[in-house]
Amino acid sequence: MNWIRDLRYVRLGASDLDRSVRFATEILGLELVQRDQNRAYLRAGHGQHHHICYVKSDVGQVFAHESLGFEAPSAAELDGVIASLDRSGLRIREASSGERDERRVSALYTLTDPTGNGLELFHTLAPDGPCTFGRDAGITSFSHVGLRTTDPKRDERFWTAELGAKVSDWIGDAALLRIDEVHHKIALFPSKRPGVQHVNFQVGAIDDVMRSYYWLKEKGIRIVFGPGRHPTSSAVFLYFEGPDDIVYEYSNGVRLITDESYQPRQFPFEPQSFCMWGSRPDIPEFRTGAAAEPILQAG
Ligand SMILES: [Fe+2]
């Protein structure tokens, strides 16, 4: 059963809130919806209040504010998943009305995955009107998040058995997980620590990916992978680095899986499984296997 409808938002720590907002609006291209001294809300399209919330953090405490927000299809289904998680012995906390209001959601529960990544389950995120992008990067949606896992098989079981995600493909032990038709909304990359590993936005065309590649280079933004094409999802991609070492990704053309009989494929943990064009990642989790030992050299 699909307990969760979609990944709706990501909360990220920001050691310098002004710098993160500048990056998100002027470089990434999002719309600043609202901010105060401690938080900034940004959108990657119309329809909902925000997709990213940056939370002001001390340096070294950025991870403590990270979490992913998943919407349940209804209040009843949210109650169902919470009861099921409770029966599995997971520690779940019902959020306060202040926390709900701050996120613009109705019911809200928080928990962590077995690695310690923060998760939030809710229903009904406040809708919102048209979006005015910070720059024309061609963004069409907030789409997926890469998460670090300290035990990929254990966490894959958690995501599939407890939250109803499905494995679309594996690269080594890294599972690419879908919660709707999109090839992946969550990807679990072996690491020695928890944390958000990258944040993805879909763009409207391959031209948008390439336009941003030259534009970001000109702005001195560190490109860490691509342009390239993932053989797993078929998406054309570009990864680049933002404040607090958060990696952002634009991609276009992600595969949709509509065939019920689809079987996940096993790709080896090697550079060609991340990019079929030959680009080499400068991203630690794409360069190390389950043993977390370096196996690839920068190309
Ligand atoms: Fe990605």
Side-chain angles (χ1 to χ4, degrees):
M1 173 156 189
N2 236 6
W3 291 112
I4 47 180
R5 173 184 279 164
D6 207 354
L7 170 64
R8 292 293 190 199
Y9 62 75
V10 59
R11 293 170 68 87
L12 299 168
S15 59
D16 179 337
L17 198 53
D18 289 335
R19 183 179 58 154
S20 291
V21 168
R22 268 200 314 277
F23 181 87
T25 53
E26 295 171 17
I27 303 297
L28 202 48
L30 307 185
E31 177 187 38
L32 177 63
V33 177
Q34 187 184 340
R35 76 160 286 179
D36 58 28
Q37 270 199 317
N38 296 314
R39 293 179 196 86
Y41 301 83
L42 296 111
R43 284 201 298 165
H46 70 279
Q48 71 180 52
H49 179 263
H50 65 277
H51 298 94
I52 289 186
C53 176
Y54 290 109
V55 183
K56 189 173 184 226
S57 324
D58 292 332
V59 177
Q61 292 296 310
V62 169
F63 165 72
H65 297 280
E66 285 183 356
S67 58
L68 307 185
F70 291 92
E71 184 181 29
S74 66
E77 279 161 291
L78 180 62
D79 289 344
V81 68
I82 294 302
S84 163
L85 292 167
D86 206 36
R87 281 194 297 276
S88 299
L90 287 146
R91 286 176 51 190
I92 299 156
R93 183 176 70 82
E94 185 168 7
S96 67
S97 60
E99 289 171 304
R100 290 198 304 269
D101 291 348
E102 191 250 292
R103 290 159 176 77
R104 309 298 191 277
V105 298
S106 304
L108 174 68
Y109 295 86
T110 66
L111 68 154
T112 59
D113 74 3
T115 284
N117 293 298
L119 307 179
E120 303 189 346
L121 303 180
F122 67 91
H123 72 86
T124 319
L125 176 61
D128 220 329
C131 175
T132 306
F133 288 101
R135 81 172 179 94
D136 183 16
I139 291 175
T140 54
S141 65
F142 164 62
S143 189
H144 70 253
V145 168
L147 272 185
R148 296 186 175 90
T149 168
T150 54
D151 184 335
K153 287 299 167 199
R154 175 199 63 197
D155 288 1
E156 180 186 313
R157 275 194 300 278
F158 167 79
W159 283 92
T160 54
E162 304 290 352
L163 294 177
K166 294 185 177 119
V167 178
S168 290
D169 288 312
W170 294 277
I171 304 175
D173 287 337
L176 306 179
L177 302 167
R178 70 184 184 277
I179 51 182
D180 55 17
E181 293 180 346
V182 176
H183 181 273
H184 59 279
K185 289 288 177 83
I186 296 294
L188 300 174
F189 294 105
S191 177
K192 289 180 175 168
R193 63 184 177 94
V196 168
Q197 188 264 339
H198 76 271
V199 179
N200 171 279
F201 297 91
Q202 296 294 305
V203 294
I206 292 175
D207 285 348
D208 294 316
V209 175
M210 293 309 298
R211 253 195 300 270
S212 278
Y213 170 63
Y214 290 109
W215 190 85
L216 292 168
K217 270 202 345 180
E218 205 174 281
K219 296 286 176 192
I221 303 300
R222 198 166 88 83
I223 308 288
V224 292
F225 192 21
R229 187 189 285 277
H230 292 308
T232 49
S233 67
S234 303
V236 170
F237 65 79
L238 180 69
Y239 293 75
F240 50 99
E241 196 173 72
D244 297 303
D245 299 328
I246 300 284
V247 170
Y248 296 89
E249 177 190 11
Y250 294 138
S251 66
N252 172 261
V254 66
R255 175 180 185 169
L256 301 182
I257 297 176
T258 54
D259 181 356
E260 286 293 316
S261 64
Y262 177 87
Q263 292 297 314
R265 300 161 298 171
Q266 177 68 61
F267 289 74
F269 200 96
E270 60 184 27
Q272 292 80 1
S273 299
F274 285 90
C275 179
M276 57 201 291
W277 291 349
S279 176
R280 295 287 179 264
D282 190 8
I283 298 175
E285 290 75 19
F286 292 178
R287 290 159 50 85
T288 56
E293 295 298 331
I295 58 167
L296 302 172
Q297 298 299 312

